[in-house]
Amino acid sequence: MKITELLLEETILLAVNGKSKQDTIHELVEVLDRAGKLTDKEQYKAAIILREEQSTTGIGDGVAIPHAKSAAVKEAAIAFGKSVRGVDYEALDGQPSHLFFMIAAPEGANNTHLEALSRLATILMKDDARQRLLAAETAADVLFIIDSYDHEEGEEEISVAGKKNFIVAVTACPTGIAHTYMAADSLKAKAAELGVDIKVETNGSGGAKNVLTQEEIDKAVAVIVAADTKVQMERFKGKIVLETAVAEGIRNPEELITQAINQDAPVYEPGTGRSESSADDTGKRSIGGTIYKHLMNGVSNMLPFVVGGGILIAISFMFGYNSADSNDPSYNAFAAALNEIGGGNAFTLMIPVLAGFIAMSIADRPGFAPGMVAGLMAASGGAGFLGGLIGGFLAGYIVVGLKKLLASIPTSLEGIKTILLYPLLGIALTGFAMKFIVNTPVAAANNAITEWLSSLGTGNAVILGGLLGLMMAFDMGGPVNKSAYVFGTGLLASGVYDPMAAIMAAGMVPPLAIALATMMFKSRFTKLDRDAGKVNLVMGLSFITEGAIPFAAADPLRVIPSIMVGSAVAGAISMVAGIGLRAPHGGVFVIPFVEGNWLLYLAGILIGSVVAAMMIGFLKKPLK
């Protein structure tokens, strides 16, 4: 398939008017929508923005390639935009972007489409192609220029016999459409310039291409893995492996190739690196971002225990609050079994699992056992969720230190490290640190926080509920939202359930408010917006705050303040009413199981949603 079968005259915009990244994305989405390529422009725009949050698609040299795979794409298409003035697109080189290619791929895009889209990415690496596109005056000129560079390429055939300066590489990005192939082309072009032989495997949406053979890997002096997504790493055991982000493959190919030729990178050993994991941490993630990544790895693995255990406990209360107590008149054997499974087992594993997976995220599998032990010691020693967090990070970095300390062990004893030394020394050192340093002060702090939260007066409860509500609606699934959510789930382990109820109420409000606003103020929204509003109703009832993101992205100054106010109202009502929630998810399905008046809790959610919907309706202007 030719690229010009996807890039049409009606999807070309020769004068981008936007001055910002958001404006430009909006304009190009509108171009695709007018051309009939999308079924839901807001859903597709949300997918584009989500991709930008992973890493900017402003690749530098004046080019940006926003792209996404989405069910909202009717058929694969490309929109082209040009800005002579330039747009601040947060490009990798910090310079304004002038050429924009927005790639829209349906979720079921076939290989023919994906190959054409990947060829476009390689064309944009050519300086003369970019210059000609900047000078293009008509849509026909753009199509002619693209067509003149569009040549299909087959699989590379590389002979490795007798080659000394031979390296191999793997490139991969989350969507596998653009950056994967641009990084590959950048590496190949620079290698040719430096007189270095290279073979690059691309892990794109259409599957892996130019797959490296074991012979090629064995002959290579080093391996470059430029990836922001999972790469099969076991095959590189014992090789010099340089891991970095895919953007580095585009921007700094010479530096990577030079490092590889000089073998300036560690030897990869399974179990001691990030086997089959993303390589976007190597010097590219901030300290806060790295901590957040490890924390979220622990929380995401912990949540099934909290959700399942919490709901089982809540169901047991339907038989009576003390129905699990064999000495109480309301005792029920089935309720007692539910309580034992949920509270006595699932909840008991919550903190050890959190700490174990945090440590595993930091130190790979050798960190898991010390992390689990640290979490169990925190739970049994009264340090609770906070102690589990500290224990997970402590265990992970202790094992990282052990790896460095034991790096010089003879090769003949290599196998003993994973099976004996890491678990023995890791568990011992982490355990001593938890017992004699961490548990006592953290348990005291944990008890103080628990007592304070349990004794909140009405005024303080309103403030806390409102604050949690503001955080839940501020970035709808982002770091601030997740911080509030982690705070609530952590308190469940300490027997404090009110904040979790406020958090879920506040998190349900943004999508519910959007749904109500599209119904109550139809003149403020397009038909597509109103249809998307119905989807938000389901998302809100299911406690999926992210449903409001497309509307917030399209009109942030009106939508975000409105939903923040509504969420704060819902959170404050929940806290003042003394509603408790043991299950940190479930939305409307777990409302009957809350501790307290569930009708009042539901009313608080509805009041917050109506307040936010009214604000959205009054702030937005009717469409012309």
Side-chain angles (χ1 to χ4, degrees):
M1 171 177 278
K2 303 287 285 182
I3 294 172
T4 48
E5 292 179 51
L6 304 174
L7 177 64
L8 310 174
E9 288 199 14
E10 56 263 37
T11 61
I12 292 176
L13 180 65
L14 291 171
V16 170
N17 295 317
K19 297 180 180 178
S20 69
K21 184 176 188 174
Q22 293 287 345
D23 292 341
T24 304
I25 289 173
H26 178 75
E27 285 187 67
L28 293 175
V29 170
E30 289 291 338
V31 168
L32 289 170
D33 189 51
R34 286 196 298 270
K37 305 299 181 182
L38 307 176
T39 58
D40 186 334
K41 67 178 181 180
E42 296 299 337
Q43 183 180 341
Y44 174 67
K45 187 191 297 183
I48 287 286
I49 292 170
L50 183 62
R51 172 62 186 87
E52 293 295 329
E53 289 175 353
Q54 295 172 344
S55 61
T56 182
T57 59
I59 61 173
D61 293 323
V63 177
I65 311 180
H67 56 276
K69 291 178 70 176
S70 171
V73 178
K74 190 183 297 183
E75 57 180 312
I78 302 170
F80 169 75
K82 183 174 74 169
S83 170
V84 176
R85 176 180 54 198
V87 173
D88 180 8
Y89 203 87
E90 303 170 11
L92 294 172
D93 59 1
Q95 299 301 310
S97 298
H98 299 272
L99 300 174
F100 307 92
F101 283 87
M102 179 171 281
I103 301 173
E107 283 189 342
N110 58 40
N111 286 348
T112 306
H113 286 140
L114 295 170
E115 287 168 4
L117 296 174
S118 67
R119 289 201 307 277
L120 171 64
T122 64
I123 290 171
L124 295 176
M125 295 300 297
K126 304 179 187 296
D127 182 64
D128 56 333
R130 297 194 299 269
Q131 295 303 320
R132 289 177 65 187
L133 287 169
L134 275 172
E137 296 181 355
T138 67
D141 290 342
V142 173
L143 295 175
F144 177 79
I145 293 165
I146 293 295
D147 210 37
S148 66
Y149 289 94
D150 188 11
H151 306 292
E152 296 189 22
E153 297 180 359
E155 293 272 320
E156 291 182 57
E157 292 186 7
I158 300 279
S159 172
V160 298
K163 291 188 175 180
K164 294 182 179 178
N165 280 355
F166 175 61
I167 60 175
V168 294
V170 181
T171 61
C173 70
T175 54
I177 296 175
H179 286 57
T180 299
Y181 303 97
M182 299 183 78
D185 277 359
S186 181
L187 287 167
K188 287 189 285 188
K190 184 55 66 175
E193 182 182 318
L194 297 173
V196 174
D197 290 309
I198 189 172
K199 180 174 179 180
V200 184
E201 174 183 306
T202 53
N203 289 354
S205 290
K209 296 292 179 67
N210 297 321
V211 177
L212 303 175
T213 67
Q214 195 57 52
E215 180 191 8
E216 290 164 344
I217 295 170
D218 293 341
K219 293 285 186 180
V221 297
V223 181
I224 297 172
V225 177
D228 288 339
T229 188
K230 291 183 178 180
V231 170
Q232 203 283 317
M233 298 288 290
E234 296 290 329
R235 53 189 167 156
F236 302 134
K237 180 180 179 180
K239 300 295 297 184
I240 299 290
V241 177
L242 176 61
E243 295 183 80
T244 188
V246 69
E248 288 298 294
I250 299 172
R251 299 304 311 159
N252 297 309
E254 183 172 358
E255 180 182 333
L256 296 178
I257 292 169
T258 302
Q259 279 186 259
I261 292 297
N262 294 335
Q263 298 191 323
D264 183 14
V267 173
Y268 178 78
E269 289 296 338
T272 60
R274 285 167 297 145
S275 176
E276 299 191 12
S277 68
S278 66
D280 59 351
D281 290 344
T282 309
K284 302 301 161 194
R285 197 187 285 266
S286 66
I287 293 175
T290 300
I291 292 172
Y292 178 74
K293 176 212 167 192
H294 298 320
L295 174 61
M296 285 301 107
N297 189 62
V299 170
S300 63
N301 284 286
M302 173 194 76
L303 278 181
F305 295 88
V306 188
V307 173
I311 293 176
L312 288 174
I313 295 170
I315 293 174
S316 76
F317 289 155
M318 294 176 66
F319 297 90
Y321 193 77
N322 296 313
S323 58
D325 184 355
S326 60
N327 297 318
D328 193 89
S330 65
Y331 173 73
N332 180 286
F334 182 66
L338 290 174
N339 197 284
E340 180 185 352
I341 295 168
N345 294 281
F347 257 43
T348 299
L349 288 170
M350 180 175 80
I351 295 175
V353 167
L354 168 76
F357 279 96
I358 288 175
M360 187 174 178
S361 178
I362 296 168
D364 212 345
R365 278 175 288 187
F368 186 66
M372 287 286 287
V373 171
L376 186 59
M377 292 183 72
S380 60
F385 183 81
L386 184 58
L389 285 180
I390 296 171
F393 281 98
L394 186 65
Y397 286 111
I398 282 176
V399 173
V400 168
L402 286 173
K403 288 179 180 180
K404 293 179 179 178
L405 190 65
L406 301 174
S408 59
I409 274 187
T411 307
S412 58
L413 299 176
E414 191 68 32
I416 204 172
K417 288 197 293 190
T418 302
I419 198 170
L420 175 62
L421 297 181
Y422 291 148
L424 173 62
L425 298 176
I427 290 173
L429 293 174
T430 304
F432 280 121
M434 292 297 296
K435 182 174 180 63
F436 296 109
I437 300 173
V438 176
N439 268 3
T440 301
V442 174
N446 190 56
N447 289 334
I449 294 170
T450 302
E451 290 175 9
W452 176 73
L453 289 170
S454 300
S455 62
L456 280 178
T458 301
N460 288 333
V462 169
I463 294 172
L464 179 60
L467 177 61
L468 291 172
L470 292 172
M471 292 174 71
M472 287 299 292
F474 176 71
D475 55 359
M476 293 157 286
V480 176
N481 170 284
K482 287 292 190 294
S483 297
Y485 187 71
V486 169
F487 173 73
T489 54
L491 290 173
L492 294 180
S494 301
V496 179
Y497 309 117
D498 292 11
M500 190 67 244
I503 286 164
M504 191 173 82
M508 293 172 69
V509 165
L512 288 176
I514 293 295
L516 289 176
T518 58
M519 296 175 191
M520 297 164 61
F521 303 96
K522 294 183 178 180
S523 63
R524 269 76 167 167
F525 299 92
T526 66
K527 184 179 183 305
L528 283 175
D529 289 338
R530 294 196 296 274
D531 290 340
K534 297 172 185 175
V535 177
N536 267 262
L537 181 62
V538 177
M539 289 187 171
L541 293 174
S542 304
F543 183 35
I544 302 175
T545 315
E546 290 84 349
I549 289 177
F551 290 84
D555 192 1
L557 294 180
R558 295 181 178 88
V559 173
I560 292 178
S562 301
I563 60 178
M564 287 178 69
V565 170
S567 291
V569 169
I573 291 174
S574 176
M575 285 294 294
V576 169
I579 307 296
L581 179 65
R582 293 173 181 255
H585 219 294
V588 70
F589 304 105
V590 298
I591 287 178
F593 305 136
V594 299
E595 297 177 11
N597 190 325
W598 71 269
L599 287 174
L600 185 57
Y601 184 58
L602 181 61
I605 295 170
L606 293 176
I607 291 169
S609 301
V610 170
V611 168
M614 296 293 288
M615 286 185 65
I616 292 171
F618 288 129
L619 290 174
K620 288 181 74 71
K621 296 179 181 178
L623 299 176
K624 295 182 181 179

